[in-house]
Each structure stands twice: as structure tokens, then as C-alpha cells.
Amino acid sequence: MTRLANLIQLLVILIPIGLQSQKWEVHLGLSNQDEYAANIIEDYDGGLYIIGNYYPTTNNTIYGWHIKTDVNGNLLYDKTFTHNEFKINEIAGASDQHGNKYFCGTKFNNTTMPYVIKLDSCGGLVWCKLLYEGNFEEGAALDILINDIDELVVLTWFDTDEKIDIIYLIGMSMEGDVLWKKPYASRNDYPWIRLPIGYDMEMVNNEYYISGDCYYPYPSDTNHFFLRPLFIGVDSLFNEKWVMPFMALDSVFGLASCTVPLNDTVLMGIGSRWAYGSIPEDRGLLMFYNTDGEELGYKCIINQHIGPDIISSWFRDIARINDSLFMVAASFGPDVIDNPNGELVIDTSCNVYFSQSMTNTLFQARVIKTSDDNYVFTTSIRETKSYWDVYLYKVNEKLESVPFDTTSHTYDSLCPHPITSGVIDLTSCLVYTDIGE
């Protein structure tokens, strides 16, 4: 039985339950096997495209796994990405106006190395590249976007013995040619920075803002390094404008997950503030800065405002509701580390208007605002004590499950033929591409 047939068999059981209760939620996965969601895109036709991975129980490997659903989360098809030698770990994706899709992640065998893949509007493989340079020992591609001049911009992390230049942006053409690469937050320019990494980048007015973390000391004590949120500003020509270990003079320890613009000049990063001491408490964190690299302050969520037993919270992804409210994908609960994911409606002062925890969820949580002004979340949900499925659900701005869309939709109209599920073998395609000067 094919993977799609297995999935449909599972969905037949799950979707009628949702229809009876009018709760928009879907579990995607096979029994006794791990599946994880990494990212989600609303496709040009209103369908949902989930980027993830699955771990078969029959061998010790990782496969990339892409899932296309209709507007109600019903499975249309899926694609599995394999390689004879490498484990494939999908992380992020983007799509263009022609229905092409671009994905990035990292391959595993003895070492890790970033890759980028292009699929056409029919889900067919166009090209795939391993981004490699002789000085790099390992690396990963953590985010990807398409800019206003139709370049792919890939946020990468590389490691070397010297650990001088670690964060890079790499520019690629839509045909897969490497056009340029530039390092940021280099220790040549910032001698006290250690192990910087960027998780997310946002394009605002044709400039770029990277969110992540680094280790950085107090200026008065350069022998001890603390985990700090990190923001990097990059201009339209990909020159580094500034590097900001956030609140280096304060006790803001933790990380930045991503950034959202509040207006043309003010940005808000989200993440988690990590406490040090005998009673650890992590708090969801809002960090404010402007396009000139000036710190404007920060606010922390009061965990008890979420619930009486909450001792830890972490803001992971964000979507704008209106000028003053935001939908946040977060993890929060009574534990320090392994808390379930859920959602919060907050303002810029960390006031909580609505909150909801999703039982038995864990790992990555993502949210997108869809074209019908609702919000789709994806995360992983426990299937059994040992296995996880992809969990997809949709709510409105009050965290109420939305009705199913009963209107007629045409999917994948940019493809001249129906798209079917299948396996894409990257063995002969995923070859090393030198990104050296």
C-alpha cells in the first residue's frame, strides 16, 4: 500500500470526527512512525503546503516529507525525498507566483551540509544543490525567501575550526546558480561574539533582518559568556548595517525566534528569556528595536497571566492580527523544557487576551495567517507514547475553531495535469556546489 493510501485511510477515520464537532483539525501520519512538521506555506490556490520530515521505523534515516492539502486540510498528495547516502532534514520553504517551490535544510551523514531544492508547479524536481566550500566543516540552511529582484536568499550557518565567520547569506538565481555569499556577525568585527546563529530572516522595505542568538559577555567581565538574543540588520545590497546582541548591558539571556515589523522603522522580535539561578523561569519575550539598530526596550510575559500553573513560556512564531494584536505560536506549561505547544493572542505590552494549550503536542510550532483572515497552526502531536504525527489546525482571532470551507476550489491550476504522490530520489541530483569565491 502506498504512503498516500495509508494516509487517506487514516484521514477517513479522523476527518468525520472533526465534521461532527466542527473542529478544524487534522492528524497526518502513519501508525508507529514519527512525522514532524517544520514549516507551512499557503499555496497560490489557497491550499496548504506543509514541509516536514518522517522517520521510518525500518531503518535509521530521515526523509524529507512534503504534504499538500486543500483549504480544509484534506490530503491532496505528498512527496517523499530520499537519498542513498544522506539523511534529508527539511527546515524552510518559499514559493513564487508561478507555483514553483524552493526548500532548504541540511543533509546528514558523517557531516551536515546545507542544501536548496526547487520543484516546479507540478511538484517535479528541477534542481537541487549542496552548498559547500572547502573551509566549512559542516553547516545548515535555516531559512529561505524570494526577494523583489527574483533572487533566492538563503540564511545559512557554517562551522569551521576558527569559528570566525559562521552566519552567511547566500544569493542564488531561480535557476540554482550561486551568485554571491556574505558573512555577518564576524568575530573579525565583533571580537567578543561567540557561536552566533540565525534562525529566521524577514525582508522589510527591501532590507533584511536576521533573528537568532549568540554568546556574549558583559563588557565588565569578558571571561564569562551568556546566551543572548541576536539581531542583524542587512541593507538592500546585502551589506551588514549593524549587529545587536540584544541588551548586552542587561540580564536578558535567551534567544530570538523571529521578527515582525510594527511599522516602517520599528521591529519586534519574539523569543524566550531564560533565567539563571536555583529557580529557573523562562518567559515569552518581546524585543523592540529599529531599522537603525537601536534597542528600544523589551517586555516579558507574566506566566501566571497565561495560567496558574505556567512556569515557562517560549514565543516561537507570530502572525499579525491587526495594528495592535498578534497571534503567537508558543510553548508553555508547568515544565521548564518539555511543554506543549499552543497559541496566544497578545499585544505589544504582553497582555494576554486569549490562550489555548494543545495537549500532547511538542517540537516546532508554526503559524500563518491565511487569505480568509484565519490562522493555521502546524506542530507535532503524540500518536502513541513513542510516536508523533503532524498536527494541523485552524482558528480565528479568538482561538475558536473555524467552520469548514464548503465553497468549490480548483487546486494546482498552474500544472497541466493532476499531481500524484510519489518519491523523489535526490541521489544523482544533490551534488556538491562550490560556493567559494
Side-chain angles (χ1 to χ4, degrees):
M1 185 177 288
T2 67
R3 184 169 180 79
L4 178 64
N6 277 293
L7 285 165
I8 291 175
Q9 187 179 54
L10 178 62
L11 288 169
V12 166
I13 299 172
L14 291 170
I15 289 176
I17 297 173
L19 287 170
Q20 291 170 11
S21 62
Q22 287 298 297
K23 191 171 184 180
W24 199 115
E25 62 176 16
V26 175
H27 297 217
L28 294 164
L30 296 177
S31 297
N32 300 323
Q33 186 166 280
D34 284 330
E35 290 93 1
Y36 300 97
N39 218 315
I40 183 171
I41 300 169
E42 185 180 30
D43 214 350
Y44 67 90
D45 53 16
L48 301 170
Y49 201 101
I50 300 98
I51 305 154
N53 302 280
Y54 83 91
Y55 299 69
T57 56
T58 54
N59 52 27
N60 181 28
T61 191
I62 305 171
Y63 296 133
W65 188 36
H66 294 182
I67 312 157
K68 175 70 178 282
T69 78
D70 66 12
V71 295
N72 293 317
N74 298 311
L75 187 71
L76 298 175
Y77 57 85
D78 72 325
K79 300 287 184 180
T80 301
F81 296 83
T82 66
H83 194 285
N84 286 347
E85 299 177 13
F86 302 151
K87 300 176 182 180
I88 304 298
N89 183 35
E90 298 279 76
I91 296 176
S95 61
D96 65 23
Q97 61 183 340
H98 305 294
N100 301 305
K101 297 176 179 65
Y102 308 83
F103 306 98
C104 68
T106 181
K107 67 88 177 174
F108 293 86
N109 52 358
N110 295 326
T111 61
T112 63
M113 200 59 64
Y115 64 78
V116 181
I117 299 172
K118 179 179 180 178
L119 303 182
D120 62 24
S121 61
C122 296
L125 181 64
V126 180
W127 53 258
C128 55
K129 301 289 179 71
L130 272 173
L131 305 179
Y132 171 78
E133 199 256 291
N135 293 325
F136 299 143
E137 295 179 347
E138 57 180 344
L142 301 173
D143 203 2
I144 187 170
L145 59 78
I146 303 169
N147 66 16
D148 293 338
I149 58 172
D150 287 337
E151 283 183 356
L152 297 174
V153 183
V154 187
L155 173 62
T156 60
W157 169 89
F158 288 102
D159 195 15
T160 65
D161 284 338
E162 295 79 14
K163 301 186 186 302
I164 300 298
D165 294 329
I166 295 180
I167 296 176
Y168 281 83
L169 292 183
I170 297 174
M172 301 180 69
S173 73
M174 310 298 260
E175 290 72 39
D177 299 318
V178 175
L179 305 175
W180 51 265
K181 77 174 191 296
K182 290 191 177 184
Y184 303 90
S186 171
R187 278 178 59 182
N188 289 326
D189 302 315
Y190 304 91
W192 297 118
I193 205 165
R194 296 291 187 274
L195 301 178
I197 187 170
Y199 303 114
D200 175 85
M201 64 176 164
E202 297 294 328
M203 187 170 65
V204 181
N205 295 328
N206 207 31
E207 295 190 323
Y208 306 84
Y209 298 92
I210 298 170
S211 306
D213 64 50
C214 67
Y215 286 88
Y216 205 79
Y218 286 108
S220 59
D221 178 9
T222 55
N223 293 318
H224 298 89
F225 291 76
F226 298 91
L227 186 68
R228 300 282 192 177
L230 175 67
F231 300 102
I232 302 171
V234 180
D235 69 17
S236 60
L237 299 177
F238 303 102
N239 299 309
E240 182 181 274
K241 296 198 299 178
W242 44 261
V243 172
M244 183 198 304
F246 190 77
M247 289 293 175
L249 299 178
D250 204 336
S251 58
V252 179
F253 311 122
L255 57 82
S257 301
C258 61
T259 284
V260 61
L262 299 182
N263 54 47
D264 286 342
T265 60
V266 178
L267 307 164
M268 181 174 74
I270 68 168
S272 179
R273 183 181 184 182
W274 296 359
Y276 286 82
S278 59
I279 306 176
E281 183 179 88
D282 299 344
R283 299 180 182 178
L285 178 64
L286 302 182
M287 296 156 281
F288 303 93
Y289 61 99
N290 64 23
T291 54
D292 293 326
E294 298 171 326
E295 296 171 338
L296 303 179
Y298 64 92
K299 294 183 183 295
C300 291
I301 196 168
I302 304 300
N303 285 323
Q304 288 71 30
H305 289 178
I306 304 176
D309 300 324
I310 306 300
I311 67 166
S312 178
S313 57
W314 181 346
F315 294 168
R316 296 180 177 271
D317 200 8
I318 191 168
R320 181 188 293 275
I321 296 175
N322 53 40
D323 289 342
S324 58
L325 295 178
F326 298 86
M327 184 73 70
V328 175
S331 59
F332 49 88
D335 296 322
V336 176
I337 299 176
D338 291 334
N339 287 309
N341 292 313
E343 52 271 9
L344 306 168
V345 175
I346 66 169
D347 62 18
T348 55
S349 297
C350 274
N351 295 310
V352 179
Y353 296 90
F354 302 98
S355 67
Q356 181 173 242
S357 179
M358 309 307 285
T359 305
N360 291 325
T361 58
L362 201 63
F363 309 114
Q364 185 64 272
R366 294 287 188 179
V367 59
I368 58 169
K369 187 173 185 176
T370 49
S371 53
D372 60 359
D373 289 330
N374 290 302
Y375 304 87
V376 172
F377 289 78
T378 184
T379 183
S380 296
I381 193 165
R382 192 180 295 279
E383 174 197 331
T384 65
K385 184 177 180 180
S386 302
Y387 299 105
W388 298 84
D389 288 335
V390 170
Y391 183 37
L392 191 68
Y393 61 97
K394 190 174 186 178
V395 298
N396 63 19
E397 62 187 42
K398 295 182 180 180
L399 306 187
E400 301 164 332
S401 186
V402 302
F404 290 98
D405 186 341
T406 58
T407 60
S408 178
H409 294 265
T410 299
Y411 296 101
D412 299 304
S413 59
L414 296 178
C415 180
H417 58 77
I419 302 177
T420 59
S421 296
V423 176
I424 297 178
D425 187 352
L426 302 177
T427 303
S428 61
C429 170
L430 202 58
V431 295
Y432 287 98
T433 300
D434 190 353
I435 59 172
E437 295 294 342

